[in-house]
Amino acid sequence: MKLTIDKFQKLQAIAEIESDEVEKASRLVQVLLDKSADEINEMHIKDFALLCDKLKAIFDIKVEAGTASAPKNVIKANGKRYFINYEIKKPFNTGRYIEVLTFSKEDPILNMHNILASICTPMKWSWRKMKYIKTDYDVLSHEDYADDLKEADFRHGYHAMVFFYLFLTNLTESLNPSLDKLMTERMTKGANQKRLKTIFPTLSVGFTTQSR
């Protein structure tokens, strides 16, 4: 079971829906296993409960392993390779910094792929050097990069959010008062940062009712 950014975002959206726990569990299973509603509905209730138990255990292991893993600079997404810039230097500039602020202000979890697209450098295979090399970042291709990165492992999006949350938090401490007020407001609007610490256990809630 591969937990991509796209799947993780769908799970997060389902976890926040106010609905019956059984229905929520069914939708979570559909996303995790790429199954239709009919396929899940046809399952015997005991088999479904056992499946929920198994998936919850696998999900918890994957989340724990993913969040505990070290960030990687080179990642694969949709058959392509991208270099993730975890250092604030060229090619990361003010324009891309503002992009990250914008996506973080709205919803950092649902914008994982957009945040990654703003801090990545595309790569291509070089037959001359016999390895993948960095290529120029095309601002107009941001949406294409983001679409690719939806297929990346969710842990890469998690690491990017944590990195920029810590970076932006430290940065506001050194800015002048007027900028500090503006930046803090943009970063904390809707308490998005607090959600990063609670989203993982929240996603498991949907399984518990049917597992009992």
Side-chain angles (χ1 to χ4, degrees), residues 17-85:
I17 294 175
E18 294 185 7
S19 67
D20 178 85
E21 292 297 329
V22 177
E23 172 63 22
K24 186 181 291 187
S26 174
R27 295 179 67 175
L28 289 168
V29 172
Q30 290 172 43
V31 171
L32 284 170
L33 299 183
D34 297 315
K35 298 288 186 179
S36 67
D38 288 340
E39 289 178 298
I40 300 301
N41 290 337
E42 289 174 359
M43 293 184 65
H44 190 279
I45 188 65
K46 289 185 178 180
D47 292 334
F48 181 66
L50 290 173
L51 179 61
C52 285
D53 273 338
K54 182 178 180 180
L55 286 177
K56 182 183 181 301
I58 295 174
F59 178 83
D60 288 344
I61 290 173
K62 281 186 173 290
V63 169
E64 183 177 351
T67 55
S69 64
K72 290 186 176 181
N73 286 112
V74 179
I75 68 173
K76 295 180 181 179
N78 199 28
K80 302 175 185 176
R81 280 177 169 77
Y82 288 91
F83 185 91
I84 307 302
N85 302 291

Side-chain angles (χ1 to χ4, degrees), residues 155-173:
R155 70 180 186 274
H156 302 311
Y158 170 81
H159 289 312
M161 287 191 303
V162 171
F163 170 76
F164 270 91
Y165 169 60
L166 295 175
F167 169 72
L168 295 174
T169 299
N170 292 332
L171 181 63
T172 55
E173 295 176 358

Side-chain angles (χ1 to χ4, degrees), residues 79-185:
K80 302 175 185 176
R81 280 177 169 77
Y82 288 91
F83 185 91
I84 307 302
N85 302 291
Y86 286 113
E87 294 183 31
I88 308 304
K89 61 182 183 180
K90 289 184 178 181
F92 193 79
N93 54 32
T94 303
R96 292 167 74 175
Y97 168 72
I98 292 174
E99 284 181 355
V100 173
L101 273 182
T102 301
F103 295 130
S104 298
K105 176 184 67 173
E106 297 172 356
D107 190 320
I109 295 172
L110 295 183
N111 278 308
M112 276 184 175
H113 58 301
N114 285 316
I115 292 173
L116 275 175
S118 294
I119 67 173
C120 77
T121 299
M123 304 181 76
K124 68 177 183 180
W125 178 258
S126 171
W127 287 105
R128 185 170 66 85
K129 295 184 177 181
M130 295 300 291
K131 66 177 183 179
Y132 282 92
I133 61 173
K134 300 176 187 177
T135 61
D136 292 334
Y137 183 92
D138 181 4
V139 176
L140 298 179
S141 296
H142 181 279
E143 186 175 347
D144 293 331
Y145 301 153
D147 286 341
D148 284 340
L149 291 162
K150 279 187 176 183
E151 301 306 314
D153 192 293
F154 96 98
R155 70 180 186 274
H156 302 311
Y158 170 81
H159 289 312
M161 287 191 303
V162 171
F163 170 76
F164 270 91
Y165 169 60
L166 295 175
F167 169 72
L168 295 174
T169 299
N170 292 332
L171 181 63
T172 55
E173 295 176 358
S174 62
L175 294 172
N176 65 55
S178 60
L179 284 177
D180 178 65
K181 181 179 179 181
L182 174 62
M183 300 283 279
T184 301
E185 179 182 350

